[in-house]
């Protein structure tokens, strides 16, 4: 297990505007984002923690990773040809989450949310590149508890148990509802794949601004029998 507490972050206004789906010419957005970046820069400390863990055993719907049993048919299929996975948690950092931005108009709140989303995006990219370099990995995919009914959000508890005191290590805690604080945090497992997998391929939700891949009914048949 390794905690990465010094992830560099260089705020990119254009990227943030793109994530907000704001037209790059929207000067009003740009002005607010630039102003909020100046607030975020001195405090932002995105972080990550990961483990390199071996799979102990599997049955039809479970995978036991380093003594922790996960129930997920999709995970079972995704990991059937590999022996190790990389559980992870990445976060924008509690330092950024605690900042109260001046003013309370909805547009500023929306832009601040995007700045924090950018910070967790930077942490995710950093971790993924770091793992590829350190473990000489090729194509990698990830899945997260709660992104599919096949891996319910309650299994955050099992995932966090792999790391011990996550709050002490990188400042992320689980709420009673199995959500993470800071909210702008992402957890899951990375695994090697020949073909890129995205949970979105199995998710029929029509209006989702976070969609990363089109819904694929044929893939659903493979992963979720009778689904
Ligand atoms: S489409 Fe949206 S809700 Fe569905 S898995 Fe992807 S990001 Fe999550």
């Amino acid at each position: 297990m390794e905690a990465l507490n010094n992830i560099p972050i260089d705020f990119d206004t254009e990227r943030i505007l793109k994530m907000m789906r704001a037209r790059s010419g929207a000067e009003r957005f740009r002005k607010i984002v630039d102003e909020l970046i100046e607030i975020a820069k001195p405090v932002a400390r995105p972080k990550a923690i990961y483990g390199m863990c071996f799979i102990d055993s599997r049955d039809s719907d479970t995978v036991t990773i380093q003594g922790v049993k996960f129930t997920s048919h999709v995970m079972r299929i995704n990991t059937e040809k590999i022996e190790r996975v990389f559980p992870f948690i990445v976060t924008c950092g509690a330092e950024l989450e605690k900042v109260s931005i001046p003013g309370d108009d909805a547009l500023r709140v929306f832009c601040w949310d995007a700045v924090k989303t950018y910070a967790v995006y930077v942490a995710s990219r950093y971790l993924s590149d770091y793992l590829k370099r350190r473990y000489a990995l090729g194509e990698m995919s990830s899945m997260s508890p709660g992104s599919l009914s096949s891996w319910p959000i309650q299994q955050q508890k099992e995932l966090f148990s792999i790391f011990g005191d996550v709050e002490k290590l990188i400042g992320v805690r689980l709420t009673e509802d199995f959500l993470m604080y800071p909210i702008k945090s992402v957890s899951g497992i990375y695994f090697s794949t020949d073909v890129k997998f995205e949970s979105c391929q199995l998710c029929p939700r029509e209006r989702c601004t976070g969609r990363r891949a089109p819904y694929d009914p044929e893939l659903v048949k493979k992963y979720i029998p009778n689904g």
Side-chain angles (χ1 to χ4, degrees):
M1 184 179 72
E2 182 180 11
L4 305 172
N5 284 307
N6 290 305
I7 295 176
I9 180 162
D10 202 3
F11 285 95
D12 179 342
T13 305
E14 297 309 319
R15 182 84 210 185
I16 294 171
L17 290 171
K18 207 169 163 189
M19 288 167 116
M20 293 166 63
R21 290 176 168 40
R23 284 183 298 121
S24 56
E27 284 311 308
R28 199 160 58 118
F29 281 100
R30 181 189 303 278
K31 193 163 170 283
I32 297 172
V33 169
D34 280 341
E35 182 198 320
L36 294 176
I37 284 175
E38 290 310 309
I39 295 173
K41 262 187 200 168
V43 289
R45 299 284 181 276
K47 299 175 180 63
I49 191 166
Y50 77 91
M52 196 275 282
C53 300
F54 288 97
I55 294 174
D56 301 329
S57 61
R58 309 171 171 87
D59 68 22
S60 62
D61 278 335
T62 69
V63 181
T64 300
I65 299 168
Q66 203 166 289
V68 179
K69 186 186 256 190
F70 294 95
T71 304
S72 167
H73 187 67
V74 173
M75 187 195 294
R76 166 75 175 84
I77 294 178
N78 276 338
T79 59
E80 66 191 352
K81 291 183 185 158
I82 53 180
E83 295 307 321
R84 67 178 182 177
V85 294
F86 299 86
F88 71 89
I89 301 166
V90 294
T91 179
C92 72
E95 298 84 352
L96 209 52
E97 190 66 48
K98 283 178 192 157
V99 172
S100 300
I101 52 162
D104 59 357
D105 73 280
L107 195 52
R108 283 172 68 83
V109 171
F110 178 56
C111 291
W112 183 241
D113 197 68
V115 169
K116 291 190 287 185
T117 301
Y118 176 78
V120 73
Y121 160 79
V122 166
S124 297
R125 287 292 302 268
Y126 185 90
L127 177 63
S128 142
D129 291 346
Y130 181 85
L131 292 176
K132 283 182 180 172
R133 274 199 321 273
R134 174 151 190 201
Y135 297 96
L137 302 171
E139 185 73 78
M140 278 200 320
S141 295
S142 67
M143 54 185 295
S144 299
S147 63
L148 293 169
S149 55
S150 170
W151 196 17
I153 195 162
Q154 288 81 355
Q155 297 231 317
Q156 287 274 46
K157 196 172 166 198
E158 280 79 3
L159 185 65
F160 269 60
S161 76
I162 288 178
F163 300 105
D165 191 342
V166 178
E167 187 163 14
K168 192 172 170 192
L169 292 163
I170 58 164
V172 179
R173 67 176 162 81
L174 263 190
T175 68
E176 283 180 2
D177 297 327
F178 307 102
L179 300 175
M180 290 177 281
Y181 182 88
I183 296 163
K184 297 296 179 186
S185 301
V186 179
S187 64
I189 61 164
Y190 277 115
F191 51 93
S192 295
T193 40
D194 296 332
V195 179
K196 186 83 176 160
F197 170 85
E198 290 282 3
S199 298
C200 305
Q201 293 171 288
L202 310 182
C203 175
R205 188 169 165 185
E206 283 181 12
R207 291 186 185 166
C208 175
T209 54
R211 181 171 284 286
R212 296 175 302 277
Y215 178 59
D216 185 343
E218 289 307 309
L219 203 65
V220 172
K221 287 182 198 160
K222 176 186 164 195
Y223 276 88
I224 310 173
N226 310 317

